[in-house]
Amino acid sequence: MRSAEKLAAGGGIAVFLTLATLPAFGQSEDKPRFLAADVHVNAKTGNQGTRPPTARGDFYEIKNATMADLINYAYDLGNTNKVVGGPSWLEMDHYDVAAKQPQQTAPDKQRLMLQSLLAERFKLVSKEDTRPMPTFALVPGTKSKLKEADGSGETGCKPQSSGATGTGILNLTTSGPDGTPVRITLADGMIDYRCRNMTMAAFADGLRGMLGANLGTNPVVDQTGLTGAWNFDFKYSIGLTGLPGGTGSQITVAEAVDKQLGLKLEERQVPMPVVVVESVNQRPIDNPPGTAEALPGILLPKEFEVATIKPTSPDNRNGRFQMQPGGRLNAEGVPLTFLIQRAFNPAYSAQIVGIPTWAGSARFDVVAQTSSDTAQPALDADTLAPMMLALLKDRFKLTLHTEQRELPAYDLAAGKPKMKKADPSSRSWCKAPAQVPGAPPAPQGSQALICQNITMAQFAELLRGRTPELDNPVQDLTGIQGGWDFRLTFNPVISLVLRAAAEGGAASPTTAAAEPIAGISLFEAVDKQLGLKLEKSKRNFPVTVIDHIDQTPSEN
């Protein structure tokens, strides 16, 4: 690897594709097709995240997507709720697609090629329809508090830094109206937006994308009847788990729109285009002979071409880890422990042992770049891992070996089940419910999960990662068959806070049990709300043992 002055020239360039209007829905024999395509089942669970369509040169890729995701991408629906009907597994099974396309293929043509792929390889049969879908409407309130704009200055709604210092402050990076990164500071879990020269149509259209708005997946509809452009400011609680501060009363987006702007957010049923799935195969047809040879020769790099590493300044309390298009990594204030985890992507953190205790507090800034002329997909956890491992071996002299060890795990056991038997023909899914405008804010940190037609094996898979204590895999030992409907409400961090208080930490048991960390743990919720139990156990897993790692990296 070469340490590099060439890194100073600037960062990777984010590519934003403007999606053109989709042609008519449905299958057509004359739709364009990919030149070659590899399609296969992905064994990862829904907790792992989906990579939407990415294109680089003649390479097109989607990773860990459900069939509902694939149909959503193919028909540009905006969300999977507009994929109607179909078999129960439509939102549970996951697939990878890697394809060859003509150079410089436009996004609208890529979607048509994906439609052809789904019809050919999964035998998808679907039709266009319009259905009423739940969304929010922006409507007049008692009295508007907006100020009419004169058209001068910038246009748009921009998040503002609080300007506060001391405790209860959070530094983060969000996106501005044009998609560029914006660094802001928040006080007490509140975000402040300044809006200038905004039409109500533009404001409604942008509301759902505002940080922490939690207004569901369908666009907010402007029904205010207000014309012209307006100036206004408003702020609300973003309600993210674990934020510092936030001890005061919380304000929802709906409350802010009502009290600060004199408007209202109301839930409405609005007709929207949908795709109705009539039939689709669960397993794709095998790749045609010669597919592997016909796909683009994407050579994924095994190491960064250039990299600089330096200790984070003690005065810098910021932290970020950005994997950018073009093979660039920007990290600031990242513990060495985190970098080690990224080098292996284990099923859970206990599969890496021997990390020295000092690695959790030793923070580093890393800027690294793969070869700029490599036609590779965008960085993700899988492509990053071998490059991060090579970086640690080269700069921190990391050495390791692998072995099998018995490690802590959890079992899902049956107690006295309180769940409702599901309609076996209904769609299987687990989702967080959308915030209801006007409803009292939930205690900070509390979460809800609504599940429909879920088997206990699927539920056990989905539990991992819902709380820090469930970093390890969960095994279904309930013996309960079939699909079930249920709702689970819990606080993912309350048990850790109470434990810290009991061990003499900064928080006392009294403050730990009070707002804003109210609620019950996931373990209690599974027991009391579902009649199931999460029990500790042990199982054998492959582990990576860190034999040695330097505390100081070699010179750039």
Side-chain angles (χ1 to χ4, degrees):
M1 296 180 195
R2 303 194 304 272
S3 59
E5 291 76 8
K6 59 193 290 189
L7 283 171
I13 299 173
V15 178
F16 299 94
L17 302 179
T18 301
L19 302 184
T21 303
L22 185 71
F25 289 39
Q27 281 80 34
S28 171
E29 292 301 322
D30 59 356
K31 286 181 181 175
R33 290 166 172 77
F34 290 113
L35 303 177
D38 168 75
V39 183
H40 61 269
V41 176
N42 186 311
K44 291 183 178 180
T45 69
N47 286 1
Q48 301 298 316
T50 298
R51 181 199 281 177
T54 58
R56 196 167 175 82
D58 60 351
F59 186 79
Y60 176 94
E61 184 178 44
I62 303 173
K63 296 189 72 173
N64 199 36
T66 66
M67 179 54 62
D69 290 325
L70 294 174
I71 297 172
N72 173 41
Y73 300 145
Y75 290 94
D76 195 24
L77 298 176
N79 61 74
T80 56
N81 291 337
K82 296 177 186 176
V83 180
V84 180
S88 63
W89 52 265
L90 218 66
E91 295 184 55
M92 296 302 296
D93 291 16
H94 292 74
Y95 306 92
D96 290 343
V97 175
K100 182 177 182 179
Q101 62 178 10
Q103 291 278 354
Q104 307 302 320
T105 300
D108 57 343
K109 192 172 183 180
Q110 290 171 352
R111 289 193 291 272
L112 293 174
M113 292 192 292
L114 183 56
Q115 291 175 28
S116 297
L117 179 74
L118 296 179
E120 294 169 1
R121 303 293 291 277
F122 290 92
K123 301 303 177 185
L124 172 66
V125 178
S126 62
K127 66 179 182 180
E128 175 186 7
D129 202 353
T130 301
R131 301 279 177 92
M133 303 293 290
T135 190
F136 296 118
L138 187 66
V139 301
T142 305
K143 182 179 180 181
S144 172
K145 300 179 182 180
L146 308 176
K147 180 180 177 181
E148 193 166 1
D150 61 9
S152 62
E154 296 183 358
T155 297
C157 287
K158 296 184 178 181
Q160 305 296 303
S161 289
S162 68
T165 58
T167 59
I169 301 301
L170 176 71
N171 297 309
L172 54 77
T173 301
T174 184
S175 296
D178 58 356
T180 57
V182 177
R183 297 293 296 274
I184 60 174
T185 60
L186 306 183
D188 294 325
M190 301 281 289
I191 187 165
D192 192 340
Y193 274 93
R194 177 181 177 180
C195 301
R196 296 294 181 267
N197 295 311
M198 289 295 291
T199 65
M200 288 298 97
F203 178 56
D205 186 57
L207 257 174
R208 188 168 54 89
M210 290 183 176
L211 184 65
N214 193 21
L215 290 174
T217 56
N218 291 322
V220 177
V221 179
D222 170 34
Q223 295 183 352
T224 61
L226 295 175
T227 60
W230 306 87
N231 293 340
F232 51 92
D233 299 338
F234 76 116
K235 62 181 180 180
Y236 57 89
S237 307
I238 61 176
L240 296 178
T241 300
L243 285 181
T247 55
S249 60
Q250 297 187 61
I251 302 173
T252 66
V253 172
E255 290 172 328
V257 167
D258 181 8
K259 296 176 181 178
Q260 300 168 26
L261 307 184
L263 304 173
K264 287 186 178 296
L265 276 170
E266 293 184 353
E267 192 166 6
R268 300 275 176 93
Q269 294 285 329
V270 177
M272 295 185 183
V274 300
V275 168
V276 181
V277 177
E278 298 184 333
S279 64
V280 62
N281 291 346
Q282 190 168 9
R283 297 193 64 85
I285 294 174
D286 291 340
N287 293 332
T291 296
E293 294 77 10
L295 287 174
I298 302 297
L299 181 62
L300 294 177
K302 298 299 183 184
E303 62 178 30
F304 291 107
E305 180 180 287
V306 292
T308 61
I309 306 174
K310 63 180 181 180
T312 302
S313 169
D315 298 329
N316 185 353
R317 308 313 302 169
N318 295 328
R320 62 171 174 161
F321 191 84
Q322 297 175 326
M323 295 184 289
Q324 300 177 322
R328 185 178 180 88
L329 172 68
N330 278 339
E332 178 183 5
V334 178
L336 183 58
T337 300
F338 183 84
L339 298 178
I340 294 172
Q341 293 283 348
R342 297 286 66 76
F344 298 100
N345 292 327
Y348 67 116
S349 59
Q351 286 183 267
I352 303 178
V353 298
I355 300 177
T357 55
W358 55 260
S361 57
R363 300 189 307 140
F364 296 92
D365 300 341
V366 180
V367 181
Q369 176 72 55
T370 60
S371 175
S372 58
D373 58 0
T374 300
Q376 61 173 347
L379 280 180
D380 64 5
D382 294 334
T383 57
L384 175 68
M387 294 187 286
M388 182 59 69
L389 179 59
L391 184 67
L392 294 176
K393 287 181 176 180
D394 179 48
R395 303 295 299 278
F396 288 89
K397 308 307 176 190
L398 170 70
T399 60
L400 56 93
H401 72 276
T402 59
E403 59 183 59
Q404 290 280 328
R405 287 193 185 183
E406 188 178 61
L407 297 175
Y410 278 89
D411 296 332
L412 183 65
K416 296 181 179 179
K418 304 176 183 179
M419 302 169 293
K420 178 185 176 182
K421 188 68 176 176
D423 176 354
S425 65
S426 63
R427 184 87 62 83
S428 297
W429 47 256
C430 277
K431 299 176 181 178
Q435 173 180 309
V436 178
Q444 185 172 352
S446 67
Q447 295 183 6
L449 194 66
I450 299 176
C451 296
Q452 176 179 286
N453 196 17
I454 291 292
T455 67
M456 292 299 97
Q458 291 170 331
F459 182 50
E461 268 193 350
L462 291 168
L463 278 171
R464 184 170 67 84
R466 298 286 174 183
T467 178
E469 296 148 302
L470 284 183
D471 179 42
N472 40 11
V474 179
Q475 181 176 240
D476 170 34
L477 296 181
T478 62
I480 299 174
Q481 302 300 313
W484 301 86
D485 298 341
F486 52 89
R487 180 187 178 109
L488 193 66
T489 303
F490 61 96
N491 186 316
V493 298
I494 192 170
S495 58
L496 298 182
V497 174
L498 293 172
R499 183 189 306 167
E503 294 172 354
S508 69
T510 301
T511 57
E515 300 288 347
I517 51 169
I520 62 174
S521 72
L522 176 60
F523 299 88
E524 293 176 287
V526 167
D527 181 8
K528 296 177 180 179
Q529 299 170 20
L530 305 185
L532 307 173
K533 292 186 180 296
L534 280 167
E535 300 175 340
K536 289 184 178 180
S537 65
K538 289 188 175 181
R539 292 195 291 276
N540 283 324
F541 293 95
V543 299
T544 298
V545 182
I546 305 299
D547 296 317
H548 172 81
I549 189 167
D550 286 351
Q551 194 162 355
T552 303
S554 59
E555 293 293 329
N556 291 316

